[in-house]
Amino acid sequence: MPIRPPYDEITLLQSIADNDEKAFETVFLQYGDLVHAHIFTLTKSYTASKDLVQDVFLRVWLYRDKLPELRQFRSWLLRIAYNRAFHYLRQQKVQEAGIDTYINKYGITGETDQTREGANIQSLQQVIRQAVIEMPPQQKKIYQLSREEGLKIPEIAEKLGLSASTVKNTLVRALQTLRNSIEKSNYGSWMLLIWKTAEIFFDPDRS
């Protein structure tokens, strides 16, 4: 849920630049819905939109030293979101007819697959995909219904004929499995931070 003003965005951005993880979480929760809505409008994919939201905020964290210089953080953030969405569309080779119109409207620039941050997020997603593959069947199913199809705990419980508490406990175990996999990989703490913050944002109990 977005955090209601008043809040001091300039101070938050400076805090992120100073490696304040709580400030980063605050900004993620403030703008996550907006970024997700814009990306989903273009991609029409819940799974892709979730991954791209993580991708966008990964860039916020990687470029955090530049944040205090920004005077229009919202516009800067949405420009990144549009860039990532259209990069995804080019990769998927869909909606080609509408791409030029949006490029002209938003001034979107081309990007390549060889950027360091792009490689990082793709590698992280591969770690997550492999961990999901190795989950027990029920845990894997519940995770996929929650994170890939966007169902809430009561909806999953009804669909699978389970109690809500069973679904929630299984999902908690699934997320812990993913966290353990990320911690065992070669990523720094900042990559785990991106994933943890995104999981807060996509919490199925979040109102």
Side-chain angles (χ1 to χ4, degrees):
M1 178 181 297
I3 300 167
R4 302 302 181 191
Y7 64 91
D8 188 343
E9 186 167 277
I10 293 177
T11 300
L12 280 176
L13 296 181
Q14 181 60 61
S15 296
I16 296 172
D18 295 333
N19 301 319
D20 186 330
E21 296 181 2
K22 190 64 178 178
F24 176 78
E25 180 182 313
T26 298
V27 168
F28 197 126
L29 295 177
Q30 174 64 29
Y31 286 104
D33 283 317
L34 179 66
V35 171
H36 185 268
H38 278 74
I39 291 175
F40 185 78
T41 296
L42 298 176
T43 65
K44 303 296 191 297
S45 167
Y46 179 86
T47 301
S49 297
K50 177 187 172 181
D51 288 344
L52 290 170
V53 168
Q54 290 178 301
D55 197 355
V56 168
F57 282 93
L58 169 63
R59 284 161 170 74
V60 173
W61 185 253
L62 288 175
Y63 298 125
R64 60 191 179 281
D65 60 311
K66 303 181 183 300
L67 297 180
E69 304 170 7
L70 298 176
R71 292 296 174 264
Q72 294 183 331
F73 175 72
R74 182 179 183 276
S75 298
W76 178 79
L77 187 65
L78 290 180
R79 176 61 60 86
I80 295 175
Y82 280 119
N83 274 329
R84 298 315 301 156
F86 280 102
H87 181 63
Y88 167 81
L89 291 177
R90 288 190 183 98
Q91 287 182 316
Q92 299 300 309
K93 296 182 179 179
V94 296
Q95 298 186 8
E96 293 179 352
I99 288 179
D100 289 341
T101 299
Y102 277 97
I103 288 176
N104 292 333
K105 181 175 181 180
Y106 295 107
I108 296 168
T109 58
E111 294 182 300
T112 70
D113 292 340
Q114 303 305 314
T115 59
R116 174 173 59 90
E117 56 271 24
N120 280 334
I121 198 68
Q122 289 175 15
S123 296
L124 174 61
Q125 289 166 0
Q126 180 57 41
V127 170
I128 293 173
R129 282 193 292 268
Q130 186 59 39
V132 172
I133 289 173
E134 296 173 359
M135 288 178 180
Q138 181 167 283
Q139 189 179 103
K140 177 180 178 181
K141 181 65 173 178
I142 289 174
Y143 176 84
Q144 290 174 327
L145 289 173
S146 172
R147 270 35 186 181
E148 296 179 11
E149 297 187 27
L151 299 184
K152 294 187 178 296
I153 286 175
E155 295 172 326
I156 298 172
E158 181 178 359
K159 185 179 183 68
L160 299 182
L162 301 171
S163 68
S165 61
T166 296
V167 171
K168 185 170 185 178
N169 291 337
T170 303
L171 184 56
V172 168
R173 289 195 297 272
L175 295 178
Q176 185 60 53
T177 296
L178 293 181
R179 177 171 179 169
N180 291 342
S181 296
I182 295 171
E183 288 177 335
K184 290 176 183 177
S185 69
N186 296 323
Y187 297 102
S189 59
W190 59 271
M191 186 65 85
L192 182 60
L193 169 64
I194 300 294
W195 180 80
K196 285 166 57 181
T197 306
E199 286 303 324
I200 292 171
F201 176 71
F202 287 103
D203 186 338
D205 284 340
R206 179 173 167 262
S207 59

